[in-house]
Each structure stands twice: as C-alpha cells, then as structure tokens.
Amino acid sequence: MELKRIRIFDTTLRDGEQSPGCSMNVQEKLRLAHQLDRLGVDIIEAGFPIASEGDFAAVQAIAAAVRRPVIAGLARACAADIERAWQALDDAKHPRIHIFLATSDIHLKYKLRISRQQCLEQAAAAVRLAKTFCDDVEFSPEDATRSDRAFLCDVLAAVVEAGATTLNIPDTVGYTTPAEFGELIQTIREKVCATTDVTISAHCHNDLGLAVANSLAAVAAGAEQVECTINGIGERAGNASLEEIVMAMRIRPDRLAYQTGVVTEHLYATSQMLSEITGVAVQPNKAIIGRNAFAHEAGIHQDGMLKNPLTYEIMTPQSVGVPDSTLVLGKHSGRHALGLRCEQLGFHFDRQQLDKIYRAFIVLADQIKQVEDHHLLELISGRHDAAPMPTEIAIAAAAGSSKKFEPSRATFPVPITIPEDFNVPALKLHAAESHGEQEDYFWGV
C-alpha cells in the first residue's frame, strides 16, 4: 500500500515558546532548530519576528543557518508585521510568511472590532503584500472552528485568489471534536480547494485533550500538513504533540495510511533537549517520550516483557530513541523481575530464597514506593541474617564494579560474585526524580 506523505510543520519555537515558562533565547532557539532539522521536520516556524528584537534575531539566525527545511515567520495581517517577517527571513533558502487573522464573530466583535467584510478585505490584502516578498505564503483564519462556515470559506477563497499556497485551519481554543473537524476540512477541500493546488493544514490545541485526534481526523479528511510541537507544549493546555502524531501513523498504517519525513529515532533526544532548554519536565506518563512510556511495574506486565516485549509494548523504545525498556521495582512487581534484578547485581537465589526476599521486598515497597539498588542490597543482606554488607562492596555492586565480592567479609547461604563482565544491564531501573516548583510566566503575543 502506498502511503500518502504528510508534511510536519513544527511550531515549538513559536507557539510552543508561548507556554508559560518556556521562553528561549536566540542561542537556545538556534540549537533546537538544528535538532529539529536532524529530526526531519518539513517546516520550522522559527518565531514571531515583530514580537521582540530577540525573536527577530532568532528567526534571522535560524533562516541563515538551517537550510534544508522551510523556515516560517509569523505575522499578523498588517504591513508592519509582514515586512518585519520578511526582513528576518530574507536569508532563508526556503522562506515562508505565515499570516493570521481571526474570522470568528466573537474575535471580530470583541478583539479586532471590525466587520466581516473588513476582515475579508484585510486578509486578502495581507496575502497580496506577502506575495510580493515571498512565493510561499500560509494563511491561518484564527479561531476557525468557531467561525461561521460559509464566511470562513469566503475568506479562504479570497486569500487563495490573492496567492496563498497553504490554508492552515486552527482550532485555536481546542473547541472542536474529531468528526466535526474532519467535516470542516472536507468542506474546505470541496468548496475552496477543489480546483486549486493549495495545501490544507491543521493546527490543533489541546484544551479538551483532543489535539492529536483532531489532527489525525483532519489528515483523514484531506489535510496534507499538520502543525504540532515537541512534547505538545504551547498556549494553555498545549498543541498537538508531534511525537504522538508521527508514531500513530508509523504504528498503525493499516488505519492511518500516511507517512512523514520524521526520523523517529531522534524523538526522545529532541524531547530531552527541549526539556533541558526550558527547564520544564515532561510528565512521566506522556505518550511516546515520557519517563514511564517504556517502564513496567506490574508483575504480570514485567513477566510478559521478560518473555517477549511485544506482549506489552506496541513499539520498541529504540524506534523513538529511548535507550531501552525499564522494569521499575515497586509493590506491583513480581518475583520474575525481582529475581532478574538480583542476578544483574550478582546474586543468584533458588526459588525458596527468592520467595523470602520477595516477601520482605513487598513490605518495603509498600513503604517507599520504589525500591532502588541500595535498598535491595540492604534487604538481601538483612534477609539472610548475614553480617552487614560492607559499604564499599554495596556501592561497587550497585555501580556494576567488576570487583570480586569477599565471602569472608560477609556470609551468605549462596556464593555471591560480582561478575567480571558486569555492566549496565539492558533492563535498567529508574532513579527517582524530583521536580522543583515552577514559577508561572505569562508573556508573549
């Protein structure tokens, strides 16, 4: 089956940066832009040039340094914004001016204070001006999903006539549902784009947790571009998550017969870089790239994973750049996972011995939630009525040292040796993470 190619428009550096607390300076934006280039996204929205001198400098630097993807700059539908965007993009190999103007009645009345006719004329004039600078012009009718459908199509038809090459349909406030959004995209495709070569795009926010589902519904209805961010960051509840959209297509081509140019093995590294730059941690249970996405604590799951990872994982961790799956030792863990970890630390027990350790382990796990290697070493020593394990040996064992354990210094009922070839095990345990309090920053345009 031939898979339809969907373009990935990454707006981490623009819409994503508008997340409270996620501001980035010029060098941080440039560094992340290079990583997005390695990731293989098609379009990088580098910023909003008129918003600040820093944003202008960032867009200008990225346009000059990152040559493969299209580099886009955002502009309101006015001359000053468009001219400033072009000044920032002038050195880009593949520049795009992205213009937006609200089309919903609530925005026209209370925010812009203009009529529908004024909106239509302003949108068309803005695109005509942008077209004098740049062949690639994208237009977004802000709050499209709460706009009158007939009026929305009139505006879109006007900007296409003025030269727009991409029509991006934003669900600005995360209001729509998948079936509804799919119908809207299909209507636009039939009424506005039936006789043109214009690309339809989707830009979905996550206020109801439906951003990815709505984006996929748009693609199914004919959209050829999706706008998204790394880690799903963005205004309020965020944008559609790039990694979720891309991996949904990769894992389910039977239902989602699409492909992208994203090199999925770089997803985790890109996510980690963004977190390091912004200081905003990814939620542990975040799909694809969260700390727990490939972690297993339940005993039944751990047993299945040890027999065949496909029992509980629909993708390999390596396919998204995660080093490996992890078995987390907690109160839901089973004997199989506990026994494996003991062996990885150099301890080999028969079933009866492991049962005794397991019972003590469950009591301990009930109290401390997650059992780390040093807890396990203390527990093993205590359960077998042995002399306390010397500190340096416990540390060496936990660190994977090749140093031989000295039986004369602590007595166990079975021989215990740290193997010569002991190294970091394939199935690792997570260290506990602490998250400091985050300040709230409300900024941006």
Side-chain angles (χ1 to χ4, degrees):
M1 181 195 309
E2 185 177 354
L3 301 179
K4 181 180 177 181
R5 177 71 154 79
I6 302 300
R7 289 190 278 276
I8 298 297
F9 179 116
D10 182 276
T11 184
T12 304
L13 298 175
R14 199 280 299 172
D15 201 336
E17 193 197 22
Q18 292 175 202
S19 298
C22 290
S23 178
M24 292 175 257
N25 62 35
V26 175
Q27 289 307 311
E28 289 168 339
K29 279 195 167 191
L30 184 58
R31 180 183 164 207
L32 189 58
H34 281 297
Q35 179 63 24
L36 292 170
D37 185 17
R38 285 189 288 270
L39 182 63
V41 303
D42 299 285
I43 304 101
I44 297 175
E45 188 166 47
F48 195 169
I50 206 166
S52 70
E53 290 300 320
D55 232 29
F56 178 87
V59 176
Q60 191 174 51
I62 292 167
V66 182
R67 309 303 284 173
R68 180 195 58 81
V70 172
I71 305 300
L74 187 67
R76 291 168 296 190
C78 60
D81 280 38
I82 294 166
E83 290 166 3
R84 188 66 168 161
W86 178 246
Q87 289 168 11
L89 293 168
D90 192 28
D91 286 337
K93 184 175 182 180
H94 306 290
R96 175 181 295 185
I97 297 176
H98 180 193
I99 299 168
F100 73 99
L101 180 66
T103 52
S104 68
D105 287 333
I106 191 170
H107 277 242
L108 295 179
K109 180 178 181 180
Y110 293 103
K111 187 182 78 171
L112 299 176
R113 299 181 181 180
I114 60 175
S115 67
R116 286 186 177 183
Q117 184 60 31
Q118 288 173 308
C119 171
L120 189 150
E121 292 171 359
Q122 185 176 336
V127 170
R128 279 194 295 270
L129 175 60
K131 201 72 176 178
T132 65
F133 299 114
C134 181
D135 289 335
D136 190 352
V137 177
E138 178 171 328
F139 178 79
S140 290
E142 186 183 8
D143 205 22
T145 56
R146 294 193 298 173
S147 300
D148 176 81
R149 195 164 291 191
F151 173 64
L152 175 65
C153 288
D154 286 343
V155 172
L156 294 175
V159 297
V160 168
E161 185 178 356
T165 50
T166 298
L167 298 179
N168 178 54
I169 312 304
D171 184 25
T172 304
V173 292
Y175 176 73
T176 196
T177 62
E180 180 183 34
F181 197 50
E183 290 170 3
L184 176 59
I185 297 298
Q186 185 172 354
T187 296
I188 292 168
R189 185 165 56 85
E190 293 172 353
K191 293 190 174 182
V192 179
C193 304
T195 60
T196 69
D197 194 27
V198 173
T199 297
I200 300 177
S201 173
H203 178 116
C204 297
H205 281 264
N206 207 38
D207 297 72
L208 293 176
L210 296 172
V212 170
N214 287 334
S215 299
L216 293 174
V219 168
E224 295 176 312
Q225 174 183 295
V226 287
E227 305 199 355
C228 43
T229 62
I230 300 299
N231 296 346
I233 68 169
E235 290 275 9
R236 303 179 313 280
N239 289 63
S241 165
L242 181 150
E243 55 274 6
E244 294 176 25
I245 291 172
V246 169
M247 290 309 292
M249 293 178 183
R250 176 165 173 174
I251 299 302
R252 294 304 308 272
D254 57 321
R255 292 287 181 174
L256 302 167
Y258 315 107
Q259 61 180 332
T260 71
V262 170
V263 183
T264 63
E265 290 78 8
H266 288 306
L267 285 171
Y268 183 71
T270 310
S271 166
Q272 291 295 295
M273 181 182 291
L274 176 61
S275 293
E276 182 262 312
I277 288 173
T278 63
V280 177
V282 180
Q283 67 191 63
N285 63 322
K286 171 72 171 64
I288 315 299
I289 43 77
R291 190 176 74 241
N292 292 347
F294 295 95
H296 307 268
E297 181 180 330
I300 293 173
H301 289 223
Q302 290 176 338
D303 184 62
M305 281 291 299
L306 292 170
K307 291 171 179 173
N308 186 335
L310 293 178
T311 55
Y312 285 102
E313 288 183 351
I314 60 172
M315 67 194 90
T316 66
Q318 292 82 4
S319 69
V320 298
V322 174
D324 217 324
S325 303
T326 57
L327 301 186
V328 179
L329 291 184
K331 68 178 182 178
H332 303 107
S333 299
R335 287 172 177 80
H336 197 170
L338 177 63
L340 174 67
R341 191 56 186 154
C342 288
E343 289 180 12
Q344 290 169 344
L345 292 173
F347 301 89
H348 302 275
F349 301 115
D350 61 28
R351 179 56 188 255
Q352 184 177 4
Q353 292 167 332
L354 185 59
D355 283 346
K356 290 180 180 179
I357 294 170
Y358 181 72
R359 285 194 291 271
F361 162 78
I362 291 299
V363 172
L364 178 63
D366 254 335
Q367 298 171 355
I368 64 173
K369 294 187 179 180
Q370 187 167 316
V371 179
E372 307 292 348
D373 287 357
H374 67 93
H375 297 130
L376 197 53
L377 290 166
E378 292 170 4
L379 184 150
I380 291 169
S381 177
R383 269 323 294 175
H384 290 278
D385 301 317
M389 178 180 284
T391 302
E392 66 272 19
I393 295 175
I395 293 173
S401 169
S402 61
K403 177 180 178 181
K404 293 286 187 179
F405 183 74
E406 300 288 349
S408 61
R409 301 181 65 185
T411 305
F412 291 85
V414 290
I416 298 171
T417 304
I418 303 300
E420 295 285 356
D421 60 349
F422 187 87
N423 53 24
V424 179
L427 291 170
K428 302 176 291 296
L429 282 86
H430 277 302
E433 291 188 12
S434 60
H435 301 285
E437 295 181 0
Q438 296 176 14
E439 295 180 19
D440 288 331
Y441 296 93
F442 297 96
W443 63 277
V445 178

